[in-house]
Amino acid sequence: MARISAQERRESVVRAAIAEFALKGYYGTSTEAIAKRVGVTQPYLFRLFPGKKAIFVAALVRSMEDTRLAFERATEGMAGSEQALGALAGAYARLISARPETLLMQMQGYAVVEAAEAEGDEQTGELVRAGWMRLWDTVHLSLGADVRETTSFFACGMLGNTLTAIGLPSDCREAGA
């Protein structure tokens, strides 16, 4: 059997962490559950990451970047065109459908910022805000820097996130929006 590099194992841990944190949140997820999902021991997990918070941050950053890249790929070469909005909406719908843990992880990240900052952790909030601004910028530029259209896209997306999180259809039109 081929050996897996530390980088490949780190990637496995991040993907497993996204799945675990997406469902149970930061406080409800144990590093033992992440290690078990990956098939490694907890001590090995801590050789890859210094602690649970570092794993959470890596998972959060990855989920936001995966979403941003999905938007970027979907609208490549169509910035400001009428097709960009449909391409963004389609990319997001596919992402939510294929990998709902990606958006649920982001929602866990949004929810944990206040608690982290109350404990003196400013880094998590800074990372979440920076990641969100990268998402905004990617969508905003794809939509021709139209603030109203960008805001509407994110409003519909957040509605889709909420509906997905509570188990209802995630399409804004199906929700009566």
Side-chain angles (χ1 to χ4, degrees):
M1 183 172 233
R3 269 187 78 113
I4 297 175
S5 72
Q7 186 58 36
E8 290 169 320
R9 189 63 80 184
R10 259 180 88 77
E11 178 63 24
S12 295
V13 170
V14 169
R15 293 289 174 200
I18 289 171
E20 291 292 327
F21 287 127
L23 295 176
K24 300 174 197 144
Y26 180 79
Y27 297 103
T29 298
S30 69
T31 55
E32 181 180 350
I34 296 167
K36 185 177 180 180
R37 184 181 279 262
V38 177
V40 299
T41 64
Q42 276 185 293
Y44 184 77
L45 194 70
F46 292 122
R47 278 188 273 177
L48 298 171
F49 293 91
K52 180 179 174 179
K53 180 181 168 195
I55 298 169
F56 181 81
V57 167
L60 180 56
V61 167
R62 172 61 55 75
S63 68
M64 295 180 92
E65 185 62 8
D66 285 352
T67 303
R68 192 194 70 71
L69 288 171
F71 291 153
E72 190 175 86
R73 285 185 209 109
T75 59
E76 194 170 337
M78 49 172 92
S81 72
E82 291 181 24
Q83 294 80 21
L85 181 59
L88 287 166
Y92 198 56
R94 286 188 299 279
L95 184 62
I96 287 174
S97 175
R99 294 186 4 229
E101 68 277 5
T102 300
L103 79 95
L104 295 172
M105 178 69 217
Q106 289 173 51
M107 292 180 74
Q108 293 290 351
Y110 302 150
V112 82
V113 169
E114 185 66 31
E117 289 181 348
E119 294 175 354
D121 170 9
E122 298 294 324
Q123 179 193 20
T124 300
E126 289 171 14
L127 285 168
V128 170
R129 286 185 285 275
W132 197 90
M133 289 308 301
R134 283 191 298 276
L135 285 170
W136 171 274
D137 290 343
T138 299
V139 170
H140 189 59
L141 294 174
S142 296
L143 296 175
D146 183 315
V147 172
R148 194 178 204 132
E149 198 166 18
T150 305
T151 302
S152 178
F153 176 80
F154 277 104
C156 186
M158 189 52 75
L159 174 60
N161 292 353
T162 302
L163 294 172
T164 296
I166 64 173
L168 293 174
S170 63
D171 188 316
C172 286
R173 292 175 302 269
E174 292 176 36

